[in-house]
Amino acid sequence: MSEAPVVQRPGSAERIHPGGLDLLVVPPRARTGWRVLPARVGAMCAVELQKLRHDRTELYTRAVQPALWLLVFGETFTRIRAIPTGGIPYLDYLAPGIIAQSAMFIAIFYGIMIIWERDAGILTKLLVTPTPRSALITGKAFAAGVKALIQAVVVVVIAALLGVAMTWNPLRLLGVAVAVVLGSAFFSCLSMTIAGIVLTRDRLMGIGQAITMPLFFGSNALYPVAVMPGWLQAISKVNPLSYQVDALRGLLLGTHAHLALDYGVLALAAALGILSASSLLGRLAR
């Protein structure tokens, strides 16, 4: 009997195909570590902003309050000249503060949305995905910043119609956008941190209403820090809203501002807010 022919096994695909064409298609490596974080943050931010397509009433209704501040409070105090503003018309002085206030009011109740997602079972589904918790929080925080930017545009348009002398320099407006986003990111993370502690919407609403006005009146949004009593000046120095208003006022009106300090404090506050909210996200989902 003759021996069966021996089948020679190729050592590689290149021996069969001298041209070097592989028969197997190798999938690309999945992004891991820090490389996946920007994509996940962008995805979460896009998901949050998709909600505006279904219900834009929030943007319209929230535009009423800053308009009233400028039209009523600003016009009245411009006439009586009761607050020293260094030669700047009070309406001009007030406009950057109202931009910061409207952004804060949007962000400070952002924790209610994450509690609603917990109650609807959405948060649990998000937490079992490979998305890091910090990416979930960061995406929501910067979505709050984009919403605040839309609100800021409304305030700027109203202020321009009222005759407020603001700069239209593109670089300065970009700086305004960065300050608004960073401030909103911090206050939304503060809200989500409180949500992780109190766990219910009713408690969060009560605490949110209790801290918004002290944060607003304890800043330089309505009056200079120099006219405050000493204890209120101390609160203003640790209030991130004061640094946001200082940056906005310096960029929009050209007044003296400590921009490096302002942006440093806002960036640090946003980073600490993301860290604290991320650490409490698991407790909220239990």
Side-chain angles (χ1 to χ4, degrees), residues 233-246:
Q233 291 186 19
I235 294 175
S236 178
K237 290 180 180 179
V238 297
N239 185 356
L241 189 66
S242 295
Y243 298 92
Q244 185 182 17
V245 173
D246 185 66

Side-chain angles (χ1 to χ4, degrees), residues 189-199 203-204 207-208 211 280:
C189 288
L190 174 63
S191 179
M192 289 185 281
T193 299
I194 297 173
I197 297 173
V198 302
L199 302 178
R203 293 175 182 174
L204 179 60
I207 294 176
I211 66 175
L280 291 170

Side-chain angles (χ1 to χ4, degrees), residues 244-256:
Q244 185 182 17
V245 173
D246 185 66
L248 294 177
R249 197 167 277 146
L251 291 169
L252 288 173
L253 303 181
T255 59
H256 177 70

Side-chain angles (χ1 to χ4, degrees), residues 52 56-64 106 147 150-151:
L52 292 178
R56 296 185 179 91
T57 56
E58 179 185 0
L59 296 177
Y60 303 145
T61 54
R62 289 189 180 276
V64 174
I106 287 177
K147 291 182 180 180
I150 299 172
Q151 191 74 40

